[in-house]
Amino acid sequence: MNFRRIATPGILILAVVAAAFGWIRFVAHPKPVACGYCSRPLHANSIVTAEIDGKRTQVCCLRCAITEANQLRKPLRVITVHDYSTGAAILSPETAWYVEGSRVMPCEHGVMHMDEAKKPQTMVFDRCSPGTMAFATRQQAEDFTETNGGATISFGQLMSEAHYQ
Ligand SMILES: [Zn+2]
């Protein structure tokens, strides 16, 4: 029958295309894995959704978003943050508490910078430093600074570091 001779290869092609799409969408790239600003890996407990100049993106950490906004001279909107101790999403960042300047850096450095003599260079600037993380409650933030150093600050204090609001 003519219909079967046409339909069978058609269905096979559709199945192959659907499988390829599914593999690319859900297996190879299940969700964004790199920071929209610096391309460092995203971590569940420091990931931030930020908006600069109307463009929303997933960012590796709060400090990276503040640095980006200041470099672009644009206002920063923080849409969501994640609790550093639990990884839970905090949908209203203005209610969260923040720690900066502790010994912990959420974004580690994959590449060591070397000078011409192949000696490691001292880091003078890093867009994700000082490390800045979010906590659902002030108590959690203060517990964190007790072990790791740093200062507990409010959302308002944090956002005063973004200079183009
Ligand atoms: Zn980043």
Side-chain angles (χ1 to χ4, degrees):
M1 209 166 101
N2 231 354
F3 174 72
R4 276 185 81 171
R5 278 181 46 210
I6 297 164
T8 309
I11 287 165
L12 271 175
I13 289 166
L14 274 179
V16 168
V17 168
F21 174 80
W23 186 82
I24 289 166
R25 174 65 184 80
F26 298 107
V27 182
H29 303 281
K31 58 182 177 183
V33 289
C35 173
Y37 298 146
C38 73
S39 302
R40 281 180 190 165
L42 296 174
H43 302 287
N45 55 355
S46 67
I47 189 169
V48 169
T49 306
E51 195 178 288
I52 297 175
D53 211 16
K55 288 189 216 81
R56 206 170 272 207
T57 189
Q58 306 261 273
V59 190
C60 59
C61 67
L62 269 165
R63 182 60 48 190
C64 186
I66 292 171
T67 303
E68 180 77 5
N70 286 341
Q71 285 175 346
L72 294 175
R73 298 166 182 265
K74 293 274 163 55
L76 168 68
R77 272 186 70 204
V78 178
I79 312 295
T80 55
V81 294
H82 280 75
D83 185 296
Y84 190 73
S85 49
T86 65
I90 301 170
L91 300 177
S92 45
E94 52 291 342
T95 64
W97 289 85
Y98 299 87
V99 169
E100 68 175 17
S102 73
R103 288 183 287 276
V104 179
M105 276 273 290
C107 301
E108 79 281 354
H109 306 278
V111 187
M112 173 89 80
H113 295 282
M114 306 276 195
D115 62 17
E116 289 109 72
K118 300 263 185 276
K119 290 205 193 92
Q121 283 182 327
T122 315
M123 189 176 69
V124 287
F125 168 79
D126 185 275
R127 59 180 296 111
C128 300
S129 175
T132 306
M133 40 290 259
F135 294 88
T137 66
R138 184 172 198 162
Q139 189 58 51
Q140 278 173 289
E142 279 169 359
D143 290 348
F144 183 85
T145 59
E146 236 162 71
T147 352
N148 302 291
T152 300
I153 58 172
S154 69
F155 185 70
Q157 287 171 293
L158 177 77
M159 292 309 283
S160 70
E161 296 169 25
H163 301 306
Y164 300 91
Q165 295 300 335

